[in-house]
Amino acid sequence: MTSQFLPLLPEITLAIGACVVLVVDLFVPAERRDTTYLLALAALVATLVATVVGQPDGVRILFGGSYIADPMSRLLKLAVIVLTFFVFVYSRPYLAGRGLYNGEFFALGLFGLLGMLIMISGYSMLTVYLGLELLSLCQYALVAFNRDSPRASEAAMKYFVLGAFASGMLLYGMSLIYGLTGSLEVIEIHNYLIRNGVDQIGALLGLIFIIVGLSFKLGAVPFHAWVPDVYEGAPTAVALYIASAPKVAAFALFMRMLAEGLGVLQADWQVMLAVLAVLSLVLGNVVAIAQTNLKRMLAYSTISHVGFILLGILAGTAQGYSAAMFYVIFYAMVTAGAFGMIILLSRRGLEAEQLEDFRGLNARSPWFALMMLFIMFSMAGVPPFAGFYAKLSVLRAVVQVDEIWLAIVAVVFSVVGAFYYLRVVKLMYFDEPVETGAFQEGGGLRAALSVNGLSMLALGLYPAALMSWCVAAVSW
Amino acid sequence: MPVEQITFWIFSAIMIASALRVITARNPVHSVLFLVLTFFTAAALWLLLEAEFLGIVLVLVYVGAVMVLFLFVVMMIDVNIAPLREGFVRFLPLGALVGIVMVAELVLIVGPRYFGSDRYEAPPSAPADYSNTEALGRLLYSEYLYQFEIAAFILLVSIIAAITLTMRKRPETTKYQTPGNQVRADRADRLRVVRMDSERRERP
């Protein structure tokens, strides 16, 4: 009986941890908020251990096919837990300096992570949808977390309305698929479509609605309108949270729904994803050039990275899936680092979100300028950093399925995109500093940023460390 | 035509008509009341499907609790319709075009051709002593236990979110009563007897 629920250990640990954080925070006076923070980190570490220890090897399906523990879920869970850990470490000094250092941030962050774990392990449409809603609710609340900021409230409102709309779309698509196949379970849907042929226009309509809903959550063009506004309007710590780990979970949804559930319709969703990917690559990279606000620039850069991730998925081969998985994990790490740099340069009364704020960073701190250099080069895809290998492996997968033109578009717009990443590097190294104030203090922030920056170099030099996991994760 | 089908058509017609009125009524209070009617007819359709428990829950929870709360909110915030209708004419062509295309697609696909009742065999009707509530409970606590727990966490998060976003600490200047102190007050706290020497009044 107990061993039957063993694969569920990470979710159970995290749920208990989040509730403990929530309750303990009520009894902790405001000046000792660090207790809550440390408890939240402890909950993350416990969940990490539970994922390593509790998740058995091989594939286990629980609850009549609505929960799956497989190599992919294990890898992606580890990724989102570690990312959330970094997010919390980065967020602490930012929140503390702005009167936002509340226990609710950590509680909502942990519950959001629970939603991500559920999404990653969801094997029926109902579970997947509930996990997505759990995550989304936490995100809406976190965006509006700074109640005195009209910009944050506006961003939260936009995010909420568009997000509810996208959830409706997704749910409608799911209901159509359910109506056709008579089952909510991914594996049953797959079997039904194999048995009954693929020329079902009803399944196609369901597929369209599902792709619309998922693309919104991932932020692919033309469902990207919320991304820049939310990144800019939300507190930087929250933008950091939204931009990193949830993308990994959204990728898991694409894999479960499209690759596993509706794999029979591959020819159809390949075309749709190709359109989304090309639009994302073009719009993301071109519009990012015009941005002077770093957060907005990162938002458009997210959109262009999403294009790359979609390219990997649409290749539809094991190589493509593993490349996309490597890319999404790399992307979440590098984005967390970029937002961490914004937090490092900010202080009370100054949000270092303008490109100007990075002017002459090298003169102020050579070490952190170097870290930002690593991050920007990674995003641009300069060898030997991780981004180069991530882009290369996606392109290789796309070329192998003879979609040469997609690869060409991706390369051309990566070159266009390199301009705005290198502009940041130029500002840091070749311009005089205009801002000379002190950095945000916090040893944890600095240590985590250094680890994050160096990991980009390490992952670029030894990509096999992560890539072999990704390959093993999709070998079903 | 059997009685069941006639009832179905009547309730469906009422439901669609009242759903239309929800979005076309000018007065928001009327909209809410039409929504109540929509839910009520939906509950009747549930009953036709032999899902008595769900039908009753729809009436009790949605009609009885949620919609009454909704009515309160609508009446209290005094919605001004005029600004909401601004730009209606300007966006009408685009909205109508998108709407017509969507409806056409849906009619083509979600029609009898793919989802017709002849494509699915009718479920056997349950015996008279069949307990809907029990069957639902069994499903919720066995097959759908995991989803049930997740739903519980979603509710918890919505409570946390609502409290985080709305509760504010009262500022120090707010005056409020403490009943304990009020009870403990004695004469000396309320009344001070001041002794003063009498003074001669100066003549102007």
Side-chain angles (χ1 to χ4, degrees):
Chain A
M1 190 68 186
T2 42
S3 64
Q4 188 196 339
F5 293 111
L6 197 61
L8 214 57
L9 199 60
E11 281 85 356
I12 294 174
T13 316
L14 184 62
I16 294 173
C19 292
V20 168
V21 166
L22 186 68
V23 173
V24 168
D25 181 64
L26 288 176
F27 299 98
V28 172
E31 60 270 17
R32 295 190 47 206
R33 210 22 57 74
D34 278 347
T35 318
T36 316
Y37 165 69
L38 292 174
L39 255 179
L41 292 190
L44 286 178
V45 172
T47 314
L48 195 70
V49 172
T51 313
V52 175
V53 176
Q55 299 259 296
D57 291 331
V59 181
R60 290 279 299 275
I61 296 177
L62 265 71
F63 295 111
S66 51
Y67 179 96
I68 185 172
D70 60 354
M72 181 172 99
S73 75
R74 215 161 321 154
L75 173 62
L76 292 182
K77 276 180 188 175
L78 290 179
V80 290
I81 295 166
V82 171
L83 284 164
T84 310
F85 189 90
F86 274 88
V87 168
F88 282 1
V89 173
Y90 289 153
S91 305
R92 189 193 152 272
Y94 179 90
L95 298 170
R98 280 161 190 76
L100 295 173
Y101 196 30
N102 297 332
E104 286 85 2
F105 177 86
F106 299 109
L108 285 174
L110 288 176
F111 280 120
L113 178 63
L114 180 64
M116 293 181 222
L117 297 189
I118 292 168
M119 281 159 75
I120 289 170
S121 268
Y123 213 45
S124 88
M125 292 193 292
L126 188 59
T127 323
V128 162
Y129 176 74
L130 287 172
L132 184 64
E133 281 306 286
L134 183 56
L135 171 64
S136 302
L137 269 179
C138 293
Q139 287 182 326
Y140 304 145
L142 282 173
V143 172
F145 197 59
N146 187 2
R147 288 178 302 181
D148 300 319
S149 156
R151 260 195 345 177
S153 305
E154 188 194 326
M157 201 62 209
K158 278 181 188 163
Y159 191 23
F160 179 68
V161 172
L162 286 174
F165 190 66
S167 291
M169 288 281 181
L170 184 64
L171 208 51
Y172 191 61
M174 287 175 171
S175 74
L176 280 174
I177 298 285
Y178 177 58
L180 262 181
T181 63
S183 178
L184 286 167
E185 280 116 51
V186 169
I187 192 82
E188 291 293 320
I189 294 168
H190 180 76
N191 291 341
Y192 177 90
L193 287 176
I194 283 187
R195 268 201 317 274
N196 293 288
V198 289
D199 53 335
Q200 299 225 24
I201 200 160
L204 210 55
L205 190 73
L207 173 71
I208 292 172
F209 278 105
I210 287 178
I211 286 190
V212 169
L214 293 182
S215 306
F216 173 88
K217 300 293 174 189
L218 203 57
V221 180
F223 312 106
H224 67 289
W226 61 276
V227 183
D229 287 338
V230 169
Y231 280 23
E232 192 191 359
T236 309
V238 175
L240 159 68
Y241 180 81
I242 291 177
S244 55
K247 302 289 183 207
V248 180
F251 166 77
L253 283 199
F254 265 93
M255 293 297 290
R256 298 279 185 225
M257 300 299 304
L258 297 190
E260 296 188 34
L262 302 172
V264 183
L265 301 171
Q266 195 178 45
D268 298 303
W269 56 252
Q270 264 178 334
V271 181
M272 299 181 204
L273 291 192
V275 174
L276 292 174
V278 169
L279 287 177
S280 303
L281 283 167
V282 173
L283 188 126
N285 280 317
V286 172
V287 179
I289 294 175
Q291 305 303 320
T292 55
N293 182 309
L294 188 59
K295 276 156 90 177
R296 277 191 94 83
M297 191 195 99
L298 285 174
Y300 285 104
S301 125
T302 297
I303 294 170
S304 69
H305 287 305
V306 164
F308 257 101
I309 296 164
L310 290 180
L311 279 186
I313 299 173
L314 77 84
T317 54
Q319 196 186 3
Y321 295 147
S322 56
M325 196 180 292
F326 184 90
Y327 201 107
V328 75
I329 294 173
F330 141 76
Y331 154 79
M333 282 166 66
V334 78
T335 306
F339 276 102
M341 286 301 298
I342 297 181
I343 289 178
L344 178 78
L345 265 61
S346 307
R347 58 173 181 278
R348 196 189 299 264
L350 172 79
E351 296 278 324
E353 56 180 34
Q354 297 298 324
L355 284 176
E356 293 298 302
D357 296 317
F358 280 77
R359 206 176 269 273
L361 183 63
N362 185 43
R364 296 166 65 196
S365 164
W367 175 251
F368 286 110
L370 187 68
M371 290 300 116
M372 188 65 177
L373 175 88
F374 283 7
I375 290 166
M376 285 294 132
F377 274 8
S378 257
M379 281 191 171
V382 177
F385 298 98
F388 170 72
Y389 187 78
K391 284 184 205 284
L392 183 69
S393 49
V394 166
L395 291 176
R396 204 160 45 196
V398 172
V399 168
Q400 280 202 345
V401 291
D402 288 331
E403 300 278 2
I404 311 285
W405 68 278
L406 278 176
I408 293 175
V409 170
V411 170
V412 168
F413 282 94
S414 289
V415 175
V416 173
F419 166 75
Y420 58 87
Y421 297 123
L422 296 181
R423 183 171 58 186
V424 177
V425 174
K426 181 236 165 205
L427 283 173
M428 289 192 305
Y429 280 89
F430 300 107
D431 284 14
E432 289 304 311
V434 282
E435 173 70 45
T436 50
F439 289 154
Q440 183 82 259
E441 62 260 11
L445 171 66
R446 284 156 191 244
L449 257 181
S450 306
V451 171
N452 202 330
L454 290 174
S455 69
M456 286 298 111
L457 181 62
L459 208 56
L461 292 176
Y462 306 104
L466 180 59
M467 199 59 186
S468 58
W469 275 20
C470 293
V471 171
V474 293
S475 58
W476 20 261
Chain B
M1 204 186 276
V3 183
E4 271 183 22
Q5 243 175 40
I6 296 172
T7 335
F8 171 78
W9 286 116
I10 292 174
F11 278 120
S12 304
I14 298 176
M15 186 165 155
I16 292 172
S18 61
L20 274 177
R21 287 297 289 149
V22 173
I23 51 170
T24 51
R26 287 193 157 267
N27 188 335
V29 177
H30 291 180
S31 288
V32 175
L33 290 175
F34 274 113
L35 197 55
V36 169
L37 182 60
T38 313
F39 282 144
F40 206 81
T41 40
L45 290 182
W46 277 120
L47 285 183
L48 268 182
L49 287 172
E50 299 183 10
E52 301 89 5
F53 182 75
L54 290 177
I56 295 298
V57 164
L58 195 64
V59 171
L60 285 183
V61 176
Y62 271 88
V63 178
V66 178
M67 292 323 290
V68 170
L69 214 63
F70 227 79
L71 211 53
F72 265 119
V73 173
V74 168
M75 283 179 169
M76 274 205 271
I77 58 174
D78 186 27
V79 187
N80 190 1
I81 287 293
L84 292 180
R85 294 202 174 249
E86 257 174 36
F88 180 74
V89 177
R90 194 154 60 89
F91 294 120
L92 185 64
L94 184 66
L97 184 70
V98 173
I100 288 171
V101 170
M102 291 268 290
V103 168
E105 283 178 353
L106 291 183
V107 167
L108 276 180
I109 292 161
V110 196
R113 194 164 149 222
Y114 295 101
F115 290 92
S117 51
D118 54 324
R119 290 177 65 92
Y120 302 91
E121 55 184 292
S125 62
D129 60 344
Y130 182 75
S131 168
N132 220 293
T133 321
E134 194 188 321
L136 208 62
R138 269 185 201 287
L139 265 186
L140 270 188
Y141 286 102
S142 60
E143 197 174 328
Y144 293 103
L145 177 70
Y146 185 50
Q147 286 92 338
F148 186 69
E149 296 292 333
I150 302 172
F153 273 106
I154 292 179
L155 288 180
L156 177 64
V157 164
S158 55
I159 294 172
I160 301 171
I163 293 175
T164 314
L165 295 184
T166 52
M167 199 185 79
R168 285 177 184 275
K169 288 270 185 312
R170 281 156 179 262
E172 290 302 312
T173 51
T174 312
K175 293 184 171 154
Y176 47 90
Q177 296 179 323
T178 322
N181 290 348
Q182 281 181 319
V183 171
R184 254 182 277 127
D186 60 7
R187 195 182 58 190
D189 295 329
R190 292 283 155 84
L191 185 72
R192 187 160 58 100
V193 181
V194 182
R195 287 194 181 279
M196 288 179 78
D197 295 330
S198 56
E199 282 174 33
R200 177 186 292 260
R201 190 168 167 206
E202 305 273 334
R203 279 174 195 271

